[in-house]
Amino acid sequence: MIRLAQPAIDAPDIEAVATVLRSGWLVQAEQVRAFEQELASLGGVPHAVAVSSGTAALHLAVLALGLRPGDEVAIAAFSWPATANVAVMAGLVPRFVDIGGTGMAMDPPSFEALTTRHKIKAVLPVHPLGNTADMPAIVRIAAARGIPVIEDAACAIGTSLDGRASGSWGLAGCLSFHPRKVITTGEGGAILTAVPDLARRLRALRNHGLDPETITPAFITTGLNYRMTDFQAALGRSQLARLPELLEARRIVARWYAEDLDRVPVERPSPATPERHNYQSYVVLLPREVAPHRARLLDALREAGVEAAIGTHHIPLTAYYRKTYGYQPGDFPMTDEIASRAVALPMHHAIRRQDTRTVAAALAHLLRTIP
Ligand SMILES: *Cc1c(COP(=O)(O)O)cnc(C)c1O
């Protein structure tokens, strides 16, 4: 089976974790601090706060805004449900924004239009599947209205636009180190920010409300335990050291796909610059007439030894959001279309030249025979 995704764990990664385990200092020691400094430096921001997952990062970023229950926040409609769930869990009302076409990210004009109908108190754009959102436009619209931006950069480590790292555009940018992402700590995440007061508040929120800047314990807020362990941070540092190599491996696989899929009737990812995509996922769009048969296509690919999946989720049409807010097909037309046509093909550092040929041949064959 050509696997959809595969974490890139090598001997130095294992040794880095083992060293921390042998030391007896499993939490709140040196590795987390060092990992945070390295992440901040990569993001080009002064502060990074490591936490227990990408969802924890988003949750704390939303909590740190100090919004009131019932406040409305704008959220990209095509994402992993965590992006919206954290807002709902914080008592906020999600207002979804349609995506802007094959880039699959929040459509800036749709966001702007939403701000004329609703009192939007924060915006959460997403860099979908490793492809950068149009952050200059979103930041411009948000800044003009005093709306804070929280970037869901869970998939987007190592990407940039106009020389600026994904996760560094907004008030806060959230990363994930789940095994499906480009680098992993098992579970793990981080928040990037340039604002010292926010970093301090995030550090308190992740650690039971304890002020990180006083030695005598001062519980300055309520909080959670969303800390990252030191052995996860050691793994993160070891992985981060290989990020350039892992990004290059994925970009090479993307070039192979571009060649091998050239005559196959699917739309391929086409970032405007190489830096804008890390290929966390490699998602193609099926021809419209094949979209209704996608489930059968995925099954048939699996039978042909190719593990493939849907891209990501149409959040407003998932069971909870549909039931709670009454969303219908047609409310977010572009998300409807992309969510029905998207297929994620195998993409990871260990894909070989022969693999993309096998995937392309299987897909080409099935597109000739389905429906
Ligand atoms: C993976 C992901 C998350 C959640 O991250 P976890 O580390 O799994 O909690 C949130 N948003 C997006 C867009 C993601 O891809």
Side-chain angles (χ1 to χ4, degrees):
M1 182 71 80
I2 302 174
R3 286 178 61 185
L4 178 64
Q6 191 176 305
I9 302 295
D10 68 2
D13 290 330
I14 293 167
E15 191 47 39
V17 174
T19 302
V20 174
L21 295 180
R22 284 190 210 102
S23 78
W25 296 95
L26 304 193
V27 298
Q28 294 183 288
E30 285 311 311
Q31 294 295 324
V32 168
R33 266 190 294 278
F35 186 38
E36 288 179 339
Q37 278 168 12
E38 291 166 7
L39 288 170
S41 151
L42 176 74
V45 292
H47 308 281
V49 179
V51 292
S52 52
S53 71
T55 304
L58 288 164
H59 193 197
L60 292 193
V62 166
L63 289 174
L65 292 174
L67 299 180
R68 302 242 286 270
D71 280 349
E72 298 168 84
V73 295
I75 298 169
F78 190 52
S79 184
W80 185 246
T83 319
N85 286 346
V86 295
V88 175
M89 297 296 285
L92 307 174
V93 176
R95 298 290 178 202
F96 291 100
V97 181
D98 205 359
I99 56 176
T102 51
M104 307 184 195
M106 180 180 280
D107 180 46
S110 301
F111 165 49
E112 187 163 22
L114 184 76
T115 64
T116 65
R117 299 195 303 274
H118 293 279
K119 184 90 199 77
I120 298 298
K121 294 291 181 65
V123 59
L124 281 84
V126 178
H127 300 287
L129 307 151
N131 190 21
T132 52
D134 185 354
M135 291 311 298
I138 289 166
V139 165
R140 195 176 336 107
I141 295 162
R145 292 158 182 78
I147 298 172
V149 177
I150 294 178
E151 260 177 284
D152 184 341
C155 293
I157 194 162
T159 62
S160 62
L161 172 53
D162 300 340
R164 195 158 164 184
S166 297
S168 74
W169 292 86
L171 179 65
C174 301
L175 304 175
S176 165
F177 309 116
H178 181 272
R180 270 295 298 274
K181 318 301 188 197
V182 176
I183 67 165
T184 187
T185 60
E187 300 285 359
I191 308 142
L192 305 180
T193 184
V195 181
D197 283 353
L198 182 67
R200 182 178 185 173
R201 197 167 158 68
L202 291 167
R203 290 180 197 286
L205 285 168
R206 81 166 165 190
N207 188 23
H208 308 289
L210 263 177
D211 187 349
E213 286 170 23
T214 57
I215 293 162
T216 40
F219 292 95
I220 54 172
T221 176
T222 53
L224 295 151
N225 177 356
Y226 277 176
R227 297 185 308 245
M228 175 179 274
T229 67
D230 245 44
F231 51 92
Q232 287 173 306
L235 177 55
R237 294 183 70 197
S238 172
Q239 291 259 297
L240 200 54
R242 285 159 63 213
L243 179 63
E245 167 198 324
L246 294 173
L247 289 171
E248 182 57 17
R250 285 173 182 266
R251 286 176 180 143
I252 289 170
V253 175
R255 285 204 290 277
W256 292 339
Y257 271 131
E259 279 174 43
D260 298 341
L261 292 171
D262 190 38
R263 315 273 289 277
V264 181
V266 293
E267 280 180 54
R268 302 188 304 267
S270 56
T273 64
E275 299 75 34
R276 291 194 62 174
H277 212 318
N278 66 11
Y279 299 102
Q280 180 271 332
S281 294
Y282 190 89
V283 174
V284 297
L285 297 178
L286 299 174
R288 284 182 186 79
E289 64 277 12
V290 180
H293 310 286
R294 182 175 61 173
R296 205 145 56 79
L297 180 94
L298 293 178
D299 286 346
L301 279 173
R302 180 177 286 275
E303 277 162 34
V306 175
E307 190 184 13
I310 67 165
T312 189
H313 295 268
H314 189 315
I315 305 177
L317 293 188
T318 58
Y320 173 82
Y321 289 92
R322 189 194 277 251
K323 184 173 92 213
T324 308
Y325 302 97
Y327 292 117
Q328 305 279 339
D331 292 343
F332 305 96
M334 193 54 81
T335 308
D336 292 349
E337 171 170 344
I338 300 294
S340 68
R341 294 173 59 200
V343 168
L345 299 178
M347 171 53 86
H348 52 80
H349 68 290
I351 294 277
R352 298 158 308 164
R353 186 71 193 87
Q354 183 54 41
D355 295 333
T356 58
R357 292 196 180 112
T358 304
V359 173
L363 192 57
H365 172 72
L366 289 168
L367 289 175
R368 282 193 300 271
T369 51
I370 286 180

